Amino acid sequence: MFHKDIFPPQNSPILESSQIESGVKRIEKQSKESMQSNNLDRHIFYANTLFDFSNQLISDSDFDQLILKARKTGLVDAIAQLKNGGILNQTEHRKVLHTALRAKPDNRFPEEMQQHIDEASQVRVKMRRFVDELHAGHIKGATGKTIKYIVNIGVGGSNLGSRLVTQALARFRHPSIAVSYVANIDADDLYQVLQRVNPEETMFLVTSKTFTTFETMQNAIAARGWLEKQLNLDSTIILQHHFVGITAEVNRAVAFGIDPERTFEFWDWVGGRFSLWSAVGLPIAIAVGMDLFEELLAGARAMDEHFFSAPLESNIPVLMGLIGAWNIEENHAAGLSIAPYCHGLRSLPAYLQQLEMESNGKGIDIYGQPTKTRTAQVVFGSVGSNGQHAYFQMLHQGTRQIPTDFIAVAEDLNIFEGHQDQLLANCFAQSAALATGRIYPDEPHKTCAGGQRSTVIVLPQLNAFSVGLLLAAYEHKIFVQAHIWEINAFDQWGVELGKSIAHDILPVLQGHSSNCEVDNETQRLIKHIQFIREN
Ligand code: F6P
């Protein structure tokens, strides 16, 4: 029996009915009867994956309202637009077509969409050739040694998705190739990775949609310099043998000195944070093989098909999106905690942070007006059960409503017995405890009020298909929320301002300029650094 069947708790000697009421007092307008009726399918089992919304504690009438409202906003048409590759990134006049990256070339789509599906499939042919050659040991460095170490240099969407999936599928990795990731402009990130590789056997993948991102370019230049020094060869040879470019700006990669044969293209119709399905996923394919990469796409495609065709009432991403928005708007959720009870998914919180907050962290709507409601909340979290020993205390007894997404894996493929049962027991227990709470009338300090909402997602196994399905569900959730909030999920103008101020400050810190036009507080910080350096 799942814990959802015990809300509100039935036979607990500790919980009297009056106490239950106080325990769930944060849940407005909700009755026991409405929790038990069936308008909302609280457990959706699709492609062997369970999405259990029962601990979201939403009444049928609230749910019906959500669906009604969503229908009125034209959500069904919006989903069709996404399916057919509409220009949904209005501020950049770009089509939004990440689903084309995983659509089957033989599917029937509008002609323009079909062209993009074909383009994506051609790049995958090139990827497969490269991956197979690499795995066969045919790709050599400048000194003739076989490439064994792959270092992906990229940040944000050019890092988070492929890093997450590579970790998730670690047990399937190719035995003789090691894939590492460098993202941070802090040189320590690159330095730590370089400690673990042999320069003669190392290849860098420079992954950047724009091929101008300062972290990535600085790290790429540093990696090139390191190889020049280590191998005592000039940069042209180094770039030719040890560098691959993955970008929507092939000309820039070639101008950097990367062999056009070793550049893998993606396109402006793929948003950075939605790009792991494109050539950006090359490090995944190198780590686990192209067949598993295709499986990952198949999982995402299965979720696309569901999203494009299921009725709103039982459409997984629609429910994730609507219930999430309801938590923000009606229940004043202060954040969304992401708790994967699966070590392989330990980078999911970081990945979803970008996906949710860079996409929907917007206060201006598509008409240029302030949004009518609150939009994205703070996304944070950590792998379970570690999070239980860190921030979960606040979920149980704090003063804020903070829903959690629990992600568990039903069947473990690991070698040690007993761990998986502990993980699952704790995962389900946390969801139950957060929902039901427990009242200790004589010891208020022990009382957990309950009423904290959560979704439990159970993957059958941690494999490429289920990871693809999971990530695509979140992508579509974001889309649903952006639609109902009337915001553009596919631009990120907010990150530009900081970049431009950093651009002004940099020459001063480098000593190339004596001042820059920034506010007094920032001037003081710059002066502090100059003082420390001079003394
Ligand atoms: O600064 C944010 C951002 O633009 C993200 O949207 C993107 O994923 C990341 O930087 C990296 O960009 P690029 O792939 O162009 O290097």
Side-chain angles (χ1 to χ4, degrees):
M1 184 171 81
F2 278 98
H3 56 80
K4 57 194 167 266
D5 299 324
I6 56 161
F7 184 84
Q10 304 285 305
N11 302 316
S12 164
I14 302 162
L15 288 160
E16 299 298 327
S17 61
S18 59
Q19 293 167 334
I20 293 165
E21 253 191 64
S22 74
V24 296
K25 66 176 184 291
R26 294 184 214 163
I27 308 163
E28 292 156 28
K29 294 178 280 168
Q30 168 195 303
S31 70
K32 186 173 171 182
E33 291 71 38
S34 68
M35 287 300 299
Q36 288 170 343
S37 62
N38 273 332
N39 293 8
L40 159 60
D41 193 354
R42 292 190 166 81
H43 332 111
I44 303 183
F45 190 60
Y46 174 70
N48 291 325
T49 304
L50 179 69
F51 291 79
D52 184 342
F53 299 100
S54 45
N55 277 343
Q56 284 293 346
L57 314 175
I58 183 167
S59 69
D60 277 356
S61 56
D62 280 345
F63 175 72
D64 290 344
Q65 283 301 315
L66 287 185
I67 296 290
L68 197 70
K69 256 167 76 182
R71 212 178 282 290
K72 279 193 189 152
T73 65
L75 179 57
V76 174
D77 287 347
I79 293 173
Q81 265 190 297
L82 180 73
K83 180 180 177 192
N84 294 324
I87 300 190
L88 294 169
N89 180 354
Q90 302 88 354
T91 61
E92 295 175 300
H93 306 288
R94 286 181 185 162
K95 294 184 234 172
V96 172
L97 271 167
H98 47 278
T99 57
L101 298 167
R102 56 231 189 182
K104 271 200 181 144
D106 58 3
N107 278 356
R108 294 226 180 110
F109 287 96
E111 201 185 315
E112 224 177 305
M113 172 87 169
Q114 192 61 50
Q115 274 171 19
H116 295 311
I117 294 171
D118 292 342
E119 278 176 293
S121 138
Q122 280 158 23
V123 171
R124 283 202 300 282
V125 171
K126 187 171 170 182
M127 285 166 69
R128 182 177 284 278
R129 206 178 314 125
F130 181 73
V131 170
D132 288 350
E133 278 187 35
L134 201 58
H135 286 183
H138 295 159
I139 297 193
K140 314 277 183 194
T143 62
K145 288 249 175 99
T146 300
I147 296 297
K148 290 187 180 154
Y149 300 98
I150 297 292
V151 181
N152 186 79
I153 297 177
V155 71
S158 295
N159 166 275
L160 293 163
S162 51
R163 186 196 287 255
L164 159 67
V165 177
T166 305
Q167 287 172 350
L169 303 182
R171 66 191 58 174
F172 306 109
R173 68 174 172 241
H174 191 273
S176 53
I177 309 256
V179 177
S180 307
Y181 288 86
V182 171
N184 201 338
I185 190 66
D186 185 335
D188 211 30
D189 195 5
L190 178 62
Y191 176 78
Q192 302 278 347
V193 169
L194 296 185
Q195 298 306 296
R196 304 196 299 265
V197 303
N198 174 358
E200 288 182 274
E201 301 170 329
T202 300
M203 181 169 270
F204 294 95
L205 313 183
V206 184
T207 305
S208 175
K209 182 175 170 183
T210 54
F211 226 79
T212 54
T213 303
F214 75 93
E215 291 93 337
T216 302
M217 297 325 295
Q218 180 103 23
N219 278 325
I221 290 165
R224 184 186 64 193
W226 177 78
L227 276 184
E228 281 173 37
K229 219 162 155 189
Q230 295 288 321
L231 304 184
N232 198 19
L233 290 168
D234 76 45
S235 67
T236 317
I237 311 260
I238 294 293
L239 286 164
Q240 208 182 347
H241 290 89
H242 292 265
F243 275 75
V244 162
I246 299 167
T247 183
E249 299 289 344
V250 171
N251 290 343
R252 290 186 189 151
V254 173
F256 186 75
I258 296 176
D259 182 349
E261 280 302 302
R262 293 252 172 103
T263 57
F264 294 84
E265 189 179 12
F266 64 109
W267 307 271
D268 71 357
W269 42 265
V270 183
R273 53 194 171 273
F274 301 88
S275 65
L276 77 95
W277 325 99
S278 70
V280 170
L282 184 62
I284 304 171
I286 292 171
V288 299
M290 200 59 198
D291 287 349
L292 284 193
F293 185 71
E294 297 275 4
E295 267 295 295
L296 180 82
L297 302 190
R301 181 164 62 245
M303 184 48 74
D304 295 343
E305 281 160 10
H306 166 83
F307 183 55
F308 293 153
S309 62
L312 295 187
E313 293 81 353
S314 54
N315 189 313
I316 293 159
V318 169
L319 298 190
M320 289 168 80
L322 295 184
I323 293 173
W326 174 75
N327 278 334
I328 294 168
E329 288 156 33
E330 302 293 328
N331 304 315
H332 308 290
L336 173 65
S337 123
I338 303 292
Y341 274 63
C342 169
H343 188 67
L345 294 176
R346 62 194 175 281
S347 292
L348 187 66
Y351 167 81
L352 290 179
Q353 220 164 45
Q354 188 201 20
L355 191 65
E356 297 228 0
M357 294 168 78
E358 198 173 78
S359 298
N360 287 348
K362 317 269 166 74
I364 295 294
D365 69 16
I366 47 174
Y367 309 107
Q369 300 299 319
T371 53
K372 294 178 200 74
T373 55
R374 281 174 232 211
T375 58
Q377 79 277 56
V378 174
V379 176
F380 70 104
S382 81
V383 71
S385 60
N386 302 10
Q388 286 173 216
H389 305 280
Y391 68 90
F392 272 47
Q393 161 61 34
M394 179 169 159
L395 306 185
H396 289 293
Q397 289 191 310
T399 54
R400 294 161 190 272
Q401 174 65 237
I402 302 179
T404 298
D405 282 1
F406 290 96
I407 300 100
V409 176
E411 200 188 341
D412 181 44
L413 302 172
N414 227 321
I415 51 169
F416 299 115
E417 277 178 21
H419 291 240
Q420 188 62 11
D421 293 341
Q422 295 261 20
L423 256 186
L424 289 175
N426 275 282
C427 177
F428 298 164
Q430 288 298 324
S431 180
L434 288 169
T436 61
R438 184 165 289 181
I439 310 295
Y440 294 87
D442 301 327
E443 295 173 292
H445 59 281
K446 283 191 180 175
T447 291
C448 294
Q452 287 280 32
R453 300 171 159 84
S454 64
T455 297
V456 181
I457 302 171
V458 185
L459 309 181
Q461 288 184 342
L462 190 63
N463 58 34
F465 186 93
S466 64
V467 172
L469 184 107
L470 176 74
L471 301 188
Y474 276 103
E475 285 183 345
H476 295 321
K477 169 203 164 177
I478 301 307
F479 175 76
V480 168
Q481 294 190 330
H483 169 77
I484 58 170
W485 290 328
E486 299 185 306
I487 54 177
N488 177 0
F490 303 105
D491 62 8
Q492 58 284 320
W493 293 101
V495 298
E496 296 305 320
L497 176 60
K499 283 186 199 170
S500 108
I501 299 175
H503 186 263
D504 293 343
I505 295 173
L506 187 62
V508 185
L509 288 178
Q510 289 171 329
H512 301 324
S513 168
S514 53
N515 57 25
C516 60
E517 291 201 5
V518 288
D519 61 283
N520 290 343
E521 306 307 321
T522 312
Q523 295 283 7
R524 249 198 302 277
L525 290 171
I526 297 170
K527 287 209 169 76
H528 175 71
I529 298 296
Q530 288 168 334
F531 172 79
I532 298 279
R533 285 178 180 170
E534 283 160 14
N535 291 283

